[in-house]
Amino acid sequence: PRMENLKKYINEIIDFPKEGIVFKDINPIYKDPMKWNELMLPLKKLISTLKPDYIAGIEARGFISASALAFNLEVGFIPIRKPNKLPGKVIGINYQLEYGEDRLEIQHNSIKKDSKIIVVDDLLATGGTASAAGKLIRKAGGDLIGFAFLVELTELGGRQQLDSNLLVESLIKY
Ligand code: AMP
């Protein structure tokens, strides 16, 4: 409920990046240190109690909050990226989009076996991206302990795509 008042700092852009999508632009929150702090504080507290070994961020907008949290909590940051961006040997996972397919990659040997990992992204929509990221963490040998998002579009049911035994936290719900 307290987070509700941050909604006025989230801009809605109709038909971006394509027709039919109402894009939630949270850049105004990042731009305001007090607002950003207010938004991140509960996540920071929660994550610190879970004591992850790493926070994994999903390219590209997920990097902003994931790396800020990792730096602040003094835990490692691991980038999960779109295809052909990471150098060297990678582990990848393909996943279905509404139209076509996409792929996420992580660096081979970036995860020490059974290390505890939380996946962070800016927004949970249908859950396809986060679900694939979670599978990728497991494929790479990590112990996936949860997901955290700044924003959740609850009507799209993304949560149902994620392992219900894990923590799934979102701060601002639409
Ligand atoms: P999904 O796989 O459908 O859960 O989509 C999640 C990913 O797409 C996240 O990385 C978001 O950054 C982005 N995304 C999807 N829908 C929106 C939206 N309405 N506004 C902003 N970003 C979105």
Side-chain angles (χ1 to χ4, degrees), residues 4-35:
E4 284 294 305
N5 55 23
L6 288 175
K7 283 186 177 174
K8 57 177 176 289
Y9 300 95
I10 298 179
N11 291 327
E12 302 197 337
I13 292 102
I14 313 281
D15 293 332
F16 180 87
K18 44 185 186 197
E19 231 179 285
I21 306 227
V22 181
F23 188 87
K24 304 278 195 244
D25 174 18
I26 53 184
N27 290 334
I29 295 181
Y30 299 135
K31 201 176 145 186
D32 182 331
M34 300 294 283
K35 300 291 169 225

Side-chain angles (χ1 to χ4, degrees), residues 21-24 59 61 121-130 153:
I21 306 227
V22 181
F23 188 87
K24 304 278 195 244
E59 180 173 358
R61 289 182 297 275
D121 203 359
D122 62 335
L123 184 143
L124 176 65
T126 65
T129 309
L153 307 182

Side-chain angles (χ1 to χ4, degrees), residues 73-162:
L73 291 165
E74 299 186 31
V75 297
F77 170 77
I78 297 174
I80 297 175
R81 300 207 60 176
K82 305 278 166 63
N84 308 314
K85 303 273 190 177
L86 290 167
K89 202 174 163 196
V90 298
I91 302 169
I93 187 158
N94 295 324
Y95 62 102
Q96 285 305 125
L97 296 173
E98 199 175 355
Y99 303 102
E101 221 185 36
D102 213 341
R103 180 178 169 83
L104 292 173
E105 293 180 346
I106 194 169
Q107 270 171 321
H108 173 74
N109 284 342
S110 58
I111 296 176
K112 212 168 90 201
K113 196 163 168 14
D114 295 329
S115 35
K116 288 167 31 175
I117 300 182
I118 294 183
V119 169
V120 173
D121 203 359
D122 62 335
L123 184 143
L124 176 65
T126 65
T129 309
S131 164
K135 286 178 186 149
L136 183 58
I137 293 297
R138 286 176 166 158
K139 193 173 172 184
D143 174 13
L144 178 68
I145 60 172
F147 297 91
F149 307 91
L150 303 186
V151 178
E152 176 179 2
L153 307 182
T154 57
E155 283 178 3
L156 297 178
R159 205 167 259 279
Q160 281 80 269
Q161 303 301 314
L162 306 177

Side-chain angles (χ1 to χ4, degrees), residues 42-52 73 118:
L43 259 195
K44 182 183 152 178
K45 281 188 184 152
L46 178 71
I47 293 176
S48 70
T49 63
L50 295 173
K51 301 202 185 311
L73 291 165
I118 294 183

